[in-house]
């Protein structure tokens, strides 16, 4: 089946540094990728929707200047957490939609393995 | 009110027990419904879709009640490996978010 590769799995960084997380679709073209954040014992919260070749659409309350999303190709989207602070520590996960599919057909939505970010 | 609400648990049950999870959703126009399973610090994995007619997959039975905007998941003869967090997920095409995740119900199956 389709695979979404997300790297890195774990990141520990100092406060004030920037962290880049990559999400790649390995055997399909992902015109749309979604970035989620999940705090312990909470649900996945959608941060932004990334469309190839255009600006990402951010959810209310998510700072676009802090969470930079780039979707330059049909197989790669990156999320950069700029000037990370301890409150940004969270589990970040991407998902990708096959370009021809609807989310309602759940087989068309694939998740990366997630990135655990810890900011000291 | 949250768009998708679940009892967070935790549910601690002995091996072999039957356990049921409930979920309610607020958007009456929601179209599709799913149960996902998520292990600690792992990605969610689709467990099953939920249909109005009810559907069963082995030990798992899912049910949807559109009138009450209620979804359920029943696990029979629970195994140790069923220990995880179960997420109720709702798809609404009219919402920009499309997929909305519940906060999850934590299940621990005890030996």
């Amino acid at each position: 089946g389709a695979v979404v590769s997300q790297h890195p799995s774990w990141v520990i960084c100092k406060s004030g540094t920037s962290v880049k997380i990559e999400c790649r679709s390995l055997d399909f073209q992902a015109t749309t990728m979604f970035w989620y954040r999940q705090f312990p014992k909470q649900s996945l919260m959608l941060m932004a929707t990334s469309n190839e070749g255009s600006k990402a659409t951010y959810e209310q309350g998510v700072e676009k200047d802090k969470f930079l999303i780039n979707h330059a190709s049909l197989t790669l989207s990156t999320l950069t957490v700029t000037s990370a602070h301890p409150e940004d520590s969270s589990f970040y996960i991407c998902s990708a939609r096959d370009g021809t599919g609807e989310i309602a057909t759940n087989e068309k939505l694939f998740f990366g393995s997630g990135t655990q970010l810890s900011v000291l | 009110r949250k768009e998708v609400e679940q009892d967070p648990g935790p549910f601690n049950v002995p091996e072999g027990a039957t356990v049921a999870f409930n979920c309610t959703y607020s958007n009456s126009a929601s179209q599709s419904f799913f149960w996902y399973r998520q292990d600690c610090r792992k990605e969610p994995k689709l467990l099953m879709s939920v249909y109005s007619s009810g559907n069963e997959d082995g030990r798992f039975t899912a049910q949807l009640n559109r009138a009450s905007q209620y979804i359920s998941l029943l696990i029979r003869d629970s195994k140790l490996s069923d220990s995880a967090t179960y997420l109720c997920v709702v798809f609404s095409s009219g919402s920009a978010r499309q997929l909305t995740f519940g906060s999850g119900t934590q299940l621990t199956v005890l030996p």
Side-chain angles (χ1 to χ4, degrees):
Chain A
V3 174
V4 173
S5 175
Q6 184 173 344
H7 293 283
S9 298
W10 290 83
V11 179
I12 301 174
C13 69
K14 292 181 179 180
S15 185
T17 59
S18 294
V19 176
K20 181 186 281 189
I21 303 170
E22 290 189 351
C23 183
R24 291 180 185 272
S25 57
L26 296 186
D27 55 2
F28 67 100
Q29 294 184 331
T31 55
T32 304
M33 289 189 177
F34 304 92
W35 287 96
Y36 296 87
R37 179 169 53 183
Q38 186 178 32
F39 293 107
K41 298 187 179 180
Q42 294 187 24
S43 61
L44 275 72
M45 298 301 297
L46 181 64
M47 299 175 66
T49 302
S50 169
N51 296 299
E52 185 267 334
S54 64
K55 291 184 179 180
T57 303
Y58 289 81
E59 293 297 301
Q60 192 172 14
V62 178
E63 299 175 56
K64 61 180 67 176
D65 294 331
K66 180 167 183 64
F67 298 99
L68 300 179
I69 291 174
N70 184 287
H71 194 158
S73 76
L74 284 170
T75 58
L76 174 64
S77 176
T78 60
L79 168 67
T80 301
V81 183
T82 62
S83 186
H85 291 285
E87 57 266 29
D88 297 324
S89 298
S90 185
F91 186 64
Y92 293 85
I93 192 165
C94 67
S95 68
R97 184 168 69 185
D98 185 308
T100 59
E102 293 288 336
I103 288 182
T105 307
N106 223 62
E107 289 76 14
K108 302 293 187 182
L109 184 65
F110 310 103
F111 284 91
S113 55
T115 299
Q116 182 65 47
L117 171 63
S118 297
V119 185
L120 305 177
Chain B
R1 183 187 172 188
K2 291 183 182 177
E3 288 188 47
V4 178
E5 290 205 65
Q6 291 182 250
D7 181 344
F11 284 66
N12 299 316
V13 303
E15 215 173 347
T18 295
V19 61
F21 304 139
N22 302 321
C23 172
T24 58
Y25 60 96
S26 60
N27 184 354
S28 59
S30 298
Q31 296 173 291
S32 305
F33 310 89
F34 311 94
W35 283 102
Y36 274 76
R37 171 198 168 122
Q38 185 178 26
D39 293 292
C40 187
R41 291 178 178 166
K42 300 284 186 181
E43 73 274 25
K45 293 185 178 177
L46 178 65
L47 182 63
M48 58 197 308
S49 301
V50 189
Y51 306 114
S52 296
S53 55
N55 50 305
E56 188 174 309
D57 182 3
R59 298 181 293 109
F60 299 85
T61 301
Q63 198 78 42
L64 165 65
N65 184 321
R66 285 189 182 271
S68 302
Q69 295 180 202
Y70 170 93
I71 305 157
S72 65
L73 175 68
L74 183 76
I75 304 175
R76 290 181 299 278
D77 187 24
S78 53
K79 311 290 185 191
L80 297 177
S81 57
D82 293 334
S83 298
T85 297
Y86 291 83
L87 305 172
C88 174
V89 183
V90 174
F91 170 71
S92 307
S93 64
S95 162
R97 296 180 185 179
Q98 296 191 308
L99 272 185
T100 303
F101 289 80
S103 56
T105 299
Q106 186 180 341
L107 171 67
T108 300
V109 180
L110 304 169

